[in-house]
Amino acid sequence: CSASANTPVLTLFTKEPCPLCDEAKEVLEPYKRRFILQEVDITRPENSAWYDKYKYDIPVFHLNGKFLMKHRVDIRKFEDQLMKLELQN
């Protein structure tokens, strides 16, 4: 199935606990069939570069490897970028 190869990947930079991350995931719930959610725990040793970059900003979202938004989900921006990716495929 080549559809999954073209499915956009939304990366969530997070740590435990993260109430804002939980809130963001709830907001994104209706869209979950349209993207793959990849969570990166910035407190893990192998993610120290992300920790240094985002420790005061989580949740941070990247869409297909590009910075998209931080702190809160901007639904309009998210929908817009997701639609662009879907149209490219």
Side-chain angles (χ1 to χ4, degrees):
C1 173
S2 64
S4 64
N6 291 329
T7 304
V9 176
L10 184 68
T11 307
L12 165 59
F13 294 89
T14 184
K15 65 181 181 184
E16 287 293 326
C18 179
L20 283 177
C21 301
D22 297 336
E23 192 180 298
K25 285 191 270 189
E26 279 179 40
V27 172
L28 293 168
E29 184 71 19
Y31 301 90
K32 72 177 184 201
R33 285 196 174 89
R34 293 171 60 193
F35 65 88
I36 296 164
L37 181 65
Q38 179 182 46
E39 293 189 43
V40 175
D41 183 341
I42 63 170
T43 62
R44 296 185 60 171
E46 66 269 25
N47 297 327
S48 62
W50 293 118
Y51 179 81
D52 293 340
K53 191 169 184 174
Y54 292 142
K55 60 187 166 201
Y56 303 118
D57 287 319
I58 60 164
V60 175
F61 293 92
H62 286 194
L63 188 58
N64 280 4
K66 291 194 187 117
F67 175 83
L68 181 64
M69 56 196 169
K70 65 183 180 181
H71 302 154
R72 297 224 181 280
V73 173
D74 178 339
I75 278 296
R76 189 173 289 147
K77 186 176 192 179
F78 174 68
E79 274 186 355
D80 187 48
Q81 293 302 311
L82 194 58
M83 196 91 69
K84 279 183 188 161
L85 289 170
E86 289 169 345
L87 290 171
Q88 284 173 11
N89 296 328

